Amino acid sequence: MKTLSPYALGATLYMPATREDILDVVLHKKLPELRSMVVCLEDAVADIDVETALANLHKLLLSIEQQGGRSVDGPMLFVRPRDSQMAAVLNEWPLMAHVDGFVLPKLSLSNLRAWELAVTNPDIFLMPTLETREVFNPVAMVELGEALKQTLNHRIIALRIGGNDLLGCLGLRRNPATTLYSTPMGYVIQMLAGVMGSQGFALTAPVFERLATPHLLLEELSLDIAHGLVGKTAIHPSQISSIQDSLRVSLEDLNCAKLMLNEVAPAVFNHNDTMCEPATHFKWATNILERAKWHGVRHAEPSQTDQSIRLAEAGR
């Protein structure tokens, strides 16, 4: 069975299955920088449009088939079924060979068995979404993580944190003047990073739904990365580059990670006035190299002194 790195997801763009331009995105004719996309049959599709959306999905996959498959450099393609019953139908479509996996909405311990029975195709990877009220309970999350490891673990790329649905459980909506971390979701993300992260699951960050405050998006992205989240849902193409640029690693972190993974590295050593302990930081170093593989290295921003020198030279 092939493997898919959670760091390959980058910015994940959701597109309603009713849209007519999905094929152009899949075939890399539009949004060439996009790394992953989800064709949504759930919340983004009204009840009266479900049959139209399913027909459009079938047409999309048939078009991919007729063109000889997806481009190797195109985005990863996922489908979000409406529920486990719809997933069971899609699971049997031969054309699903052109899809990387399913996003499972509103996964919980109570419906895990239904999803397990619905998605039996071993070639379909899974990204369960944590977006129900049980997510606020760390004990329930421990139990769900343990159950996932016993059933679907080998097919799970990452767990997606459904920020809007979780805020909806509390009757709240994102404050436009703050990041998600200044809401009750701050606790949820920290808890999931600890509970699910310690069980070996990668986690992706909730959507940032405000287009008019890109500075807050950047602030939130820095917090996402500080909590070990591996990607972020995008609501608009304008967010793609910000998300994926933020996932680049610093040259300092890359060099430090390489030193730690060196076979001859000391048990403890000093690097740039920071204690490095390979036995403790091995997983961090491995993750840094994986992030760098998919997103590259972030260019160092010029210092205030460098900027002053450049301004002075420009004024001569």
Side-chain angles (χ1 to χ4, degrees):
M1 182 178 180
K2 67 176 182 178
T3 59
L4 293 178
S5 171
Y7 288 101
L9 294 168
T12 302
L13 183 66
Y14 279 66
M15 300 183 70
T18 50
R19 288 187 60 139
E20 297 296 330
D21 60 344
I22 301 175
L23 182 62
D24 288 339
V25 179
V26 172
L27 297 181
H28 226 212
K29 296 178 180 178
K30 291 181 65 174
L31 308 179
E33 73 276 22
L34 185 65
R35 302 287 183 82
S36 61
M37 61 184 293
V38 178
V39 178
C40 184
L41 291 152
E42 198 218 5
D43 290 346
V45 176
D47 290 342
I48 60 173
D49 294 325
V50 170
E51 292 304 317
T52 300
L54 281 169
N56 202 41
L57 173 63
H58 190 274
K59 178 183 174 182
L60 167 71
L61 298 179
L62 187 59
S63 296
I64 295 173
E65 172 90 7
Q66 291 170 344
Q67 298 200 34
R70 287 157 45 206
S71 169
V72 293
D73 57 353
M76 287 191 285
L77 176 61
F78 298 88
V79 171
R80 178 161 72 168
R82 209 167 184 81
D83 48 38
S84 58
Q85 290 81 9
M86 181 182 285
V89 174
L90 296 177
N91 182 78
E92 301 303 319
W93 284 13
L95 288 172
M96 292 305 293
H98 299 296
V99 171
D100 289 301
F102 287 149
V103 171
L104 311 185
K106 299 173 177 60
L107 182 80
S108 67
L109 197 59
S110 63
N111 62 28
L112 175 58
R113 181 58 178 166
W115 282 109
E116 183 184 357
L117 295 173
V119 289
T120 55
N121 184 341
D123 294 325
I124 295 178
F125 286 90
L126 305 172
M127 290 198 292
T129 308
L130 306 176
E131 52 187 347
T132 62
R133 60 186 181 88
E134 292 86 357
V135 176
F136 293 93
N137 182 350
V139 175
M141 291 300 95
V142 170
E143 293 174 349
L144 178 60
E146 291 174 345
L148 284 172
K149 291 184 74 67
Q150 294 173 8
T151 55
L152 302 174
N153 182 54
H154 64 289
R155 293 165 59 193
I156 294 176
I157 303 173
L159 303 178
R160 307 193 70 81
I161 304 174
N164 283 340
D165 281 84
L166 291 171
L167 283 176
C169 292
L170 304 175
L172 298 175
R173 189 179 182 186
R174 177 194 286 268
N175 184 330
T178 66
T179 72
L180 205 57
Y181 290 85
S182 296
T183 73
M185 282 302 300
Y187 149 75
V188 174
I189 296 172
Q190 291 173 1
M191 179 269 290
L192 291 175
V195 171
M196 293 306 201
S198 65
Q199 295 186 72
F201 294 105
L203 292 146
T204 65
V207 65
F208 185 89
E209 64 193 50
R210 301 280 177 172
L211 296 177
T213 53
H215 64 286
L216 278 180
L217 171 59
L218 294 178
E219 183 181 339
E220 187 165 295
L221 281 164
S222 68
L223 291 167
D224 292 337
I225 293 168
H227 286 80
L229 307 187
V230 301
K232 194 174 185 69
T233 301
I235 62 163
H236 190 272
S238 63
Q239 296 181 334
I240 295 172
S241 61
S242 294
I243 293 171
Q244 292 177 172
D245 286 347
S246 294
L247 286 165
R248 296 177 185 272
V249 304
S250 69
L251 183 59
E252 165 63 22
D253 280 348
L254 181 63
N255 289 337
C256 186
K258 288 180 177 179
L259 288 173
M260 287 189 186
L261 296 178
N262 193 309
E263 293 180 354
V264 297
V268 180
F269 62 93
N270 181 317
H271 177 68
N272 285 353
D273 294 326
T274 301
M275 185 193 78
C276 299
E277 191 174 6
T280 302
H281 300 135
F282 177 84
K283 187 173 182 180
W284 171 86
T286 302
N287 289 342
I288 287 293
L289 292 189
E290 186 69 7
R291 256 178 66 198
K293 171 185 174 182
W294 291 102
H295 299 287
V297 178
R298 183 170 64 247
H299 296 297
E301 295 184 0
S303 66
Q304 191 65 41
T305 301
D306 291 337
Q307 291 176 342
S308 299
I309 293 173
R310 290 180 184 176
L311 289 172
E313 291 177 342
R316 288 178 181 173

